[in-house]
Amino acid sequence: MTSSGQPHSPDKLDILIDQVGHFTKGLTEFKLLVHEQAETAKQQAVAAQQQAETAKQQLAAIEKQGDRFDHIDERLDRVVKTAEQQSQNIDRITAAMEASNRSQAEAINRLVSVVDRLVPPLP
């Protein structure tokens, strides 16, 4: 009814029904859109969770590799230290052999000198 107390004309009622239909259709489309967005958000959440799990696994692998590198580094340090010690030992052995060679050369020279004095030169 209108404010004057007269019933709605059929045209106004048809317009109202048509507008309610458009409104209902809009609400339905809005509801479908919200539902689609909710599904998309759920899929994104699952994807994000999978990415987070993958990142955790990668971090664990990187940490494990870091531990391996630490172990390798320690082993290399020991190898370097051993090589340095062996080099020092070789230097000491070389010095001792050089001293021994000098001593032997001096002894041979003295022996040759003694032999030269004792044995007359050959004609």
Side-chain angles (χ1 to χ4, degrees), residues 61-93:
I62 288 170
E63 288 174 346
K64 191 173 183 179
Q65 286 177 341
D67 291 344
R68 287 181 189 154
F69 286 139
D70 289 345
H71 181 67
I72 290 170
D73 191 42
E74 290 171 4
R75 290 176 66 190
L76 286 174
D77 286 345
R78 287 194 302 265
V79 167
V80 167
K81 191 171 189 172
T82 300
E84 288 172 349
Q85 289 172 345
Q86 288 175 344
S87 175
Q88 291 171 358
N89 289 341
I90 289 170
D91 288 344
R92 282 193 296 272
I93 290 170

Side-chain angles (χ1 to χ4, degrees), residues 21-37:
H22 286 300
F23 180 70
T24 303
K25 182 179 176 185
L27 282 177
T28 301
E29 289 175 358
F30 181 71
K31 181 180 176 183
L32 288 174
L33 181 61
V34 168
H35 180 69
E36 288 174 5
Q37 288 178 343

